[in-house]
Amino acid sequence: MKITDYQKVQTLDESNIVLIDGNNGTKTIMVTDFIKSLIGLTSSQDFISGVNLSELTQINTLSADDKLLIGTAAGNKAIGADDALFAILDAFVPKEQRRMIYRGKNLGSVITEDQKANIKNGTFKGFFLGDYWSIGSYTWRIVDFDYWYNCGDTAFTKPHLVIMPDKPLYNAQMNETNITTGGYVGSKMYKENLSQAKTLAASAFGNLILTHREHLTNAVTNGYPSGGSWYDSTLELPNEIMMYGSHVFAPSGNGTIIPNRYTISKTQLALFSVVPKLISNRATFWLRDVVSSAHFAGVASHGNANFSGASDSLGVRPVFAIG
C-alpha cells in the first residue's frame, strides 16, 4: 500500500462512502455506517443504513491483497484491506483512545515533517500504540501518549509521544561499587552512564526530545529512599511502576519509616499493559528504583521483576518524550 494512498484516507469525513463487493454486486455504505456495520457483524444486526450485511460476505474473508474503494471529493481511492480499519480509526477515533489500540507499524527510518506536525499539534494522526521507527540499528517504539501531561512542579503541557527502544542500547553500571548513596540522582548512571543513550536518542529525534520536570530520588538512609526533588528531565531510566504497574522491590513504609517514592511516572506505560510480552524481550536492564543500600531494581531476561547490585553491568533501556 503506497503511503500516498494511505494519506488520502486521513482526510475522510462523514460524507464519504465505501464501496464493498457483495454477492449481489457492489454496495455503497457511508463511512460512519461502515464502522457500525463492522460492529454489527459481531452483534448479529441484519441491516444498518439499508445495507444487507448478509450480502457483504467479503468483509468476513478480506485478505491483505484486497482493496476497499473510498469515495472522496478527488475521486475513488483504493486502500488495502489491512490498512482500512486503522485508516478509519485514524480519521475518527478520539486521540485519547490511541493509547489503547495496538498496531505496531513501522513508521520509517526517519521522522517526517508530517509526523512531527501531528505530534506537535496534539492530534497524533498517523500514530497508534506500538508503532515504531527503525533508525540506525535500533527500534524506537511508541509506548504511550501524553503520559506526563499536566504533571510536574511546573506543568508539562506539550503534546508528546513517549518513546522507548525495544531492547537495551548498551550495558552499564549504576555505580562502580554496590552502593546506592544519593539514590538515582547520586548514581554514576545518572551523572555519566546515560550520556551515550542521550546521544543515540538525539541522533534519532534531534530537537524533538522534550524536557519535563520529574521527581527523582537523591538520598538513601538505611537502604530506604529518603529524599528527592524536582529535576529537569529529558531521558531517564524507567521506574518499576512504568514497567509493571506497581512497585515490586522498591521498599515500602514499615509504620515508622515513610520512604521517598514520590513520582509523576505513576501508572504503567500503556504498551506494557496492552502487550506485556514487550516488557522484557529476553533482555536484562536497569530500573531507577532504589531497593536497598546496595541494590537497584531491574527487569530480568526471563521476564521477571528483579534487582541487582549497583556495580553489575546491565542494560540501559531509557524512556523519553518527543513533541
Side-chain angles (χ1 to χ4, degrees), residues 173-205:
Q173 297 171 303
M174 292 295 293
N175 283 310
E176 292 182 348
T177 59
N178 286 334
I179 60 171
T180 59
T181 306
Y184 173 64
V185 170
S187 70
K188 186 174 182 180
M189 175 67 73
Y190 182 82
K191 294 176 179 178
E192 299 179 25
N193 292 346
L194 283 177
S195 295
Q196 184 180 350
K198 292 177 181 179
T199 298
L200 291 170
S203 68
F205 297 100

Side-chain angles (χ1 to χ4, degrees), residues 51-64:
V51 177
N52 186 339
L53 297 183
S54 66
E55 296 179 345
L56 302 182
T57 56
Q58 294 286 0
I59 292 178
N60 294 316
T61 58
L62 289 176
S63 71

Side-chain angles (χ1 to χ4, degrees), residues 26 43 93 95 116 134 142 155 172 203 254 282 284 311:
T26 300
S43 59
V93 71
K95 66 178 184 179
K116 292 177 184 179
S134 295
I142 299 171
S203 68
N254 61 7
R282 307 304 291 177
T284 299
S311 67

